[in-house]
Amino acid sequence: RPVSYGLTVDFPLTERLSLTTGLVYTKLSSDFTQVVRSVQIQRQQTLHYVGLPVGLSYRLWSLRGFRAYASAGTAAYLNVGTHVVTEGVTQEMEKDRLQLAVNGSLGLQYDIVPLIGIYAEPGLSYYPDNRSHIQNFFKDKPVNLSLQVGLRVNIK
């Protein structure tokens, strides 16, 4: 399962509603077994993505620097690096096409200082088919659980 790390910025729209955007890094690793003439060939594929999420966040409660919230939004992920290891030989491969996602999550944030917080957001994501021939987790399981952790700048 992919795990993402991000740096996001939270812009308040109302007392409880805010717009969130930023940059998110995702590393996606997949193992494949191919059978060619009764011989099994093992491949490990690694894809690196930088994503731009945009979403709305609604604060459910807050207490002493902690806050719980629900979020919904979308993201565009650009594949910035790829390689495959086949039987111990590493090769670069063509980059995947732009990958879009729609997501919803519940999050918990702790503000270290008033302007900076750390957060964790387990959620549910949907990755529509990007019509690429590169096989990956998003194609195999377009609906899946996600986990984002990172730092957030709180604009007041």
Side-chain angles (χ1 to χ4, degrees):
R1 293 204 175 270
V3 176
S4 299
Y5 302 91
L7 176 61
T8 60
V9 180
D10 208 29
F11 297 98
L13 301 175
T14 69
E15 186 175 312
R16 290 186 173 261
L17 188 66
S18 57
L19 174 70
T20 301
T21 189
L23 287 175
V24 175
Y25 165 77
T26 300
K27 179 180 177 185
L28 184 60
S29 298
S30 303
D31 294 327
F32 298 96
T33 301
Q34 291 179 307
V35 178
V36 178
R37 297 184 188 143
S38 302
V39 176
Q40 287 189 352
I41 298 172
Q42 302 294 322
R43 291 183 349 160
Q44 295 82 35
Q45 173 181 283
T46 304
L47 305 171
H48 302 272
Y49 293 91
V50 173
L52 176 64
V54 177
L56 292 174
S57 179
Y58 183 78
R59 188 177 68 227
L60 302 169
W61 62 261
S62 59
L63 179 66
R64 296 187 192 136
F66 284 95
R67 74 175 98 163
Y69 55 91
S71 294
T74 187
Y77 292 94
L78 180 64
N79 184 215
V80 295
T82 62
H83 71 271
V84 63
V85 178
T86 306
E87 300 296 321
V89 177
T90 302
Q91 294 177 303
E92 294 298 314
M93 55 186 273
E94 95 179 62
K95 290 187 174 51
D96 198 6
R97 297 176 73 182
L98 185 70
Q99 178 67 60
L100 300 178
V102 177
N103 55 63
S105 62
L106 293 174
L108 184 62
Q109 178 171 323
Y110 176 70
D111 292 335
I112 303 166
V113 295
L115 293 178
I116 298 177
I118 56 174
Y119 69 92
E121 285 183 15
L124 188 64
S125 297
Y126 170 66
Y127 298 88
D129 187 0
N130 69 352
R131 304 216 188 314
S132 168
H133 70 278
I134 295 175
Q135 294 300 311
N136 61 38
F137 184 82
F138 300 142
K139 287 191 183 327
D140 188 42
K141 298 187 182 349
V143 176
N144 62 75
L145 296 175
S146 62
L147 175 63
Q148 290 192 2
V149 295
L151 294 174
R152 177 169 292 133
V153 176
N154 305 308
I155 304 299
K156 300 287 179 175

